[in-house]
C-alpha cells in the first residue's frame, strides 16, 4: 500500500495540483492537512476513483483522507484536547485529525498544533495533543479514545516537529524556538514506545517543508516535519516529491510518500 501525506496549504487553491498528483503518483491513500475550508467547500475528488472524507470547520486547519482502497469507519476524535487562547473559555475541538480504515489499515491524517512560542499556551496544548495521540496508539487513552487503535495503524501528517537536529537547515536558528525542543521530540518517542516505527526515517536526510519567506526553498533551507509512523505494516520505500514544491502556486510543503507491505509477506 502506498500512503502519502501532504500539507496542501489550501486545497481549493491547489485542487488541480492534487488531481495531477493523484493521476501520476499511484498512491492508494492521500492524507491532506491544512485544507483551509469547511466540509461543504471541500472539492469533490470522487471522479478520480478515490473515496474521500474531510473534517473542516472554517478557513483554517482542516484535514482529509482520499482512498482508492476503501474508506470506512471515519472518525475525528481520538481523545485529543481542544483549544481556546482564553483558557477560561470552552476548549473546542479543532479540525486537526481524521481517521479511517483504508485497505485494512487504520490511517489518520494529522495536523499537529504548531506550538507558536514556547511560552505560549499553544505550546502546552501541542504537548497535550501529542500525549493524547500516544495514549490512543497505546490503548491507554480516556474519553473518546477508549476505543482501541488497530494493530495495523498509520499516523501521518504535519507533525510540526523536526525529529533530529539534522532535520533543520540551521539548528542555531531554532535556539529558544519550538519544533526542536526536547519536550516535543519526547512525544515522538512516545509513539515509538506505543509500538510504532518512524517510517519516514527512510528519507531522513531530505526536507519536507520550506518557508515561503527569505527564499528558503531556493536556498535549501528547509525542515523535515511531515512524518509517517506505522505499526503492523512494514515500510519498504519512501520519498519526498520535491518537485511539488516547485513552480507557481506550490504549497510550502512537499508530499511525503511511503510504500508499505501490509500483508506481512516478503
Amino acid at each position: 500500500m502506498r500512503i502519502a501525506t501532504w500539507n496542501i496549504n489550501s486545497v481549493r487553491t491547489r485542487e488541480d495540483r492534487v488531481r495531477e498528483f493523484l493521476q501520476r503518483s499511484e498512491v492508494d491513500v492521500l492524507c491532506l492537512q491544512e485544507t483551509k475550508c469547511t466540509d461543504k467547500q471541500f472539492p469533490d475528488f470522487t471522479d478520480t476513483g478515490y473515496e474521500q472524507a474531510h473534517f473542516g470547520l472554517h478557513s483554517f486547519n482542516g484535514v482529509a483522507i482520499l482512498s482508492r482502497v476503501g474508506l470506512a469507519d471515519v472518525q475525528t476524535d481520538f481523545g485529543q484536547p481542544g483549544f481556546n487562547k482564553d483558557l477560561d473559555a470552552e476548549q473546542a475541538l479543532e479540525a486537526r485529525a481524521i481517521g479511517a480504515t483504508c485497505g485494512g489499515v487504520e490511517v489518520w491524517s494529522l495536523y499537529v498544533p504548531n506550538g507558536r512560542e514556547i511560552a505560549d499556551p499553544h505550546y502546552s496544548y501541542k504537548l497535550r495533543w501529542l500525549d493524547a495521540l500516544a495514549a490512543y496508539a497505546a490503548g491507554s487513552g480516556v474519553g473518546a479514545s477508549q476505543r482501541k487503535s488497530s494493530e495495523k495503524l498509520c499516523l501521518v501528517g504535519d507533525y510540526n516537529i523536526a525529529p533530529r537536529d539534522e532535520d533543520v537547515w540551521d539548528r542555531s536558528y531554532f535556539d529558544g524556538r519550538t519544533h526542536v525542543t526536547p519536550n516535543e521530540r519526547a512525544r515522538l518517542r512516545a509513539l515509538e514506545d506505543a509500538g510504532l516505527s518512524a517510517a519516514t526515517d527512510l528519507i531522513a536526510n531530505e526536507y519536507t517543508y520550506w518557508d515561503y519567506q527569505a527564499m528558503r526553498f531556493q536556498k535549501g533551507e528547509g525542515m523535515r516535519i511531515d512524518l509517517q509512523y506505522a505499526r503492523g505494516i512494514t515500510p519498504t520505500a519512501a520519498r519526498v516529491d520535491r518537485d511539488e514544491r516547485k513552480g507557481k502556486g506550490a504549497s510550502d510543503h512537499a508530499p511525503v510518500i511511503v510504500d508499505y507491505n501490509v500483508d506481512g509477506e516478503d
Side-chain angles (χ1 to χ4, degrees):
M1 181 183 294
R2 178 169 291 174
I3 300 176
T5 181
W6 190 4
N7 180 319
I8 196 64
N9 192 13
S10 180
V11 68
R12 289 179 292 171
T13 301
R14 299 180 173 88
E15 178 180 349
D16 288 345
R17 279 186 175 257
V18 173
R19 289 181 172 277
E20 292 169 3
F21 178 79
L22 291 173
Q23 289 176 355
R24 63 180 170 75
S25 66
E26 292 297 317
V27 296
D28 296 302
V29 181
L30 172 60
C31 295
L32 299 173
Q33 303 87 42
E34 213 171 354
T35 58
K36 294 185 176 180
C37 65
T38 65
D39 291 345
K40 290 184 178 180
Q41 294 170 325
F42 188 75
D44 184 358
F45 293 105
T46 56
D47 61 304
T48 63
Y50 288 78
E51 298 177 77
Q52 64 184 53
H54 178 259
F55 179 33
L57 300 173
H58 30 57
S59 60
F60 50 95
N61 300 328
V63 283
I65 299 176
L66 308 180
S67 172
R68 66 177 185 180
V69 291
L71 186 68
D73 199 17
V74 176
Q75 50 188 318
T76 58
D77 186 351
F78 56 77
Q80 70 270 37
F83 180 75
N84 191 313
K85 61 183 178 181
D86 180 356
L87 300 182
D88 294 324
E90 177 188 0
Q91 304 296 295
L93 190 69
E94 296 186 307
R96 293 184 175 273
I98 189 168
T101 300
C102 306
V105 179
E106 181 183 351
V107 180
W108 283 83
S109 178
L110 306 169
Y111 181 37
V112 175
N114 177 282
R116 299 175 185 168
E117 303 289 340
I118 294 175
D120 194 291
H122 208 260
Y123 178 73
S124 59
Y125 163 56
K126 178 180 189 175
L127 299 182
R128 289 185 288 109
W129 201 96
L130 288 162
D131 285 341
L133 181 64
Y136 175 73
S140 58
V142 297
S145 62
Q146 286 182 339
R147 172 184 178 142
K148 298 295 185 181
S149 56
S150 302
E151 289 187 11
K152 293 183 178 180
L153 177 66
C154 199
L155 306 177
V156 314
D158 178 358
Y159 275 77
N160 274 310
I161 303 172
R164 313 169 305 159
D165 287 351
E166 296 89 340
D167 294 324
V168 295
W169 80 90
D170 181 356
R171 178 60 181 82
S172 64
Y173 176 85
F174 291 88
D175 288 346
R177 300 172 187 254
T178 61
H179 290 57
V180 298
T181 65
N183 280 333
E184 291 166 297
R185 289 174 173 173
R187 269 61 184 186
L188 296 183
R189 291 194 295 274
L191 294 177
E192 297 181 14
D193 291 341
L196 289 92
S197 63
T200 35
D201 278 358
L202 293 174
I203 45 172
N205 295 319
E206 294 188 50
Y207 299 137
T208 66
Y209 163 81
W210 302 259
D211 197 306
Y212 288 131
Q213 298 183 11
M215 296 186 70
R216 296 287 187 209
F217 183 69
Q218 290 80 358
K219 296 177 181 177
E221 297 176 347
M223 304 172 66
R224 186 172 74 96
I225 57 176
D226 301 273
L227 310 172
Q228 297 197 26
Y229 283 82
R231 178 181 69 207
I233 58 178
T234 304
T236 59
R239 66 184 179 91
V240 178
D241 188 348
R242 194 173 180 275
D243 287 342
E244 272 298 345
R245 181 58 179 84
K246 299 177 181 178
K248 184 177 180 181
S251 170
D252 45 3
H253 295 250
V256 179
I257 305 165
V258 180
D259 290 339
Y260 292 95
N261 183 332
V262 173
D263 57 19
E265 298 180 358
D266 293 333

